[in-house]
Amino acid sequence: MKNELNKNYSEVMEFILLGFQTSPDVQILLFLLFLLIYMVTVVGNISMLVVIKIDSRLHTPMYFFLRNLSYLDLCYSTVIAPKTLATFLPKDKRISYNGCATQFFFFALFVGTEGFLLAVMAYDRFSAICSPFLYTVRMSQQACVRLVIASYICGCINSMIQTGFTFSLRFCGENRLDHFFCDVPALIKISCVDTLVNEIVLFILSALIIITTTTIILVSYACILSTVLKISSTHGRSKTFSTCSSHITVVSLFYGTVFFMYAQPGAISSPEKNKIIAVFYTLIIPMLNPLIYSLRNREVKNAVKRILLRKKSFH
């Protein structure tokens, strides 16, 4: 069928994002809900960036990585949210071909980078707990910067490969994307050429990234658990492992949704399920991350209290 459509190929200049196809009343409620989520995301992540920047006690490798995590969450939610909100408006569902490619490139860049950064953060906790005497050497300022740059490079390679393969496809007149942003499964579905290679590349690349990063995370936490169990006091074990609880929660949320979205061969055939899962990792997780780190992390809470007390003393 796709090969027959290809004979009548005409260049698609824009796409129509169908978004969530519901009644007008539900559309308004969803618009307000998504707007609220995005506002909380922006405020939460900017607050984390400001708190870590202002409080000198948080100028450590762990919070350097956390600051970069907040920056990535802010970036990739901003790549998605404005156009998603526009899909709830009756006359603003269109996105140009170049705009679609640009949106997908930056989305893949930031999400891929975040996956590698979460692995780096696990390695940081491993170094701090399992090799405390070598920690300052292993996680020097230069080493931390190099690890973040390496995460961005890996994310960029992933993004270039996925964008190149996806936008080398032909779209024969059909330009309605059954999604709220430009994503690979939705684009593959409306292509009029054989997409088997693209689906295989998507699966292999996603699986490779997930396997590589989760292996680093699992090995790091296996070593951490082994070290923690050797601590004699219950309070000591609890205090040591509490520094990892926020990261474990964030990793579980991020990798759980990304795995179900991209690392399953049958994922592309279920657009409705894809949209629901995509809401979690594009909008909800970037909102939850700063809340998880601020509510479950004593150092962040104490830093916020110090900043607020400092402001009161000035008044």
Side-chain angles (χ1 to χ4, degrees), residues 45-91:
N45 284 291
I46 289 177
S47 298
M48 286 297 291
L49 290 169
V50 170
V51 168
I52 294 170
K53 178 70 175 177
I54 291 176
D55 197 298
S56 58
R57 298 186 195 186
L58 300 183
H59 292 178
T60 63
M62 175 181 170
Y63 292 102
F64 172 74
F65 295 130
L66 179 55
R67 189 172 66 184
N68 280 277
L69 180 68
S70 292
Y71 174 73
L72 287 169
D73 284 336
L74 184 62
C75 286
Y76 86 73
S77 61
T78 300
V79 167
I80 301 300
K83 201 62 192 176
T84 299
L85 291 170
T87 63
F88 294 110
L89 305 176
K91 295 182 180 179

Side-chain angles (χ1 to χ4, degrees), residues 191-203:
S191 172
C192 59
V193 294
D194 187 8
T195 60
L196 179 61
V197 173
N198 294 75
E199 292 182 42
I200 292 171
V201 168
L202 171 64
F203 175 70

Side-chain angles (χ1 to χ4, degrees), residues 216-233:
I216 294 170
I217 292 167
L218 290 173
V219 170
S220 296
Y221 277 109
C223 295
I224 289 169
L225 184 61
S226 175
T227 302
V228 169
L229 291 175
K230 292 175 184 176
I231 299 172
S232 55
S233 69

Side-chain angles (χ1 to χ4, degrees), residues 139-154:
M139 305 306 292
S140 64
Q141 187 175 3
Q142 287 183 335
C144 291
V145 171
R146 282 197 292 267
L147 286 168
V148 170
I149 291 172
S151 298
Y152 273 95
I153 290 171
C154 292

Side-chain angles (χ1 to χ4, degrees), residues 123-140 227:
Y123 174 73
D124 170 68
R125 291 299 81 208
F126 157 77
S127 299
I129 295 169
C130 300
S131 306
F133 299 110
L134 296 173
Y135 182 66
T136 54
V137 177
R138 282 184 178 177
M139 305 306 292
S140 64
T227 302

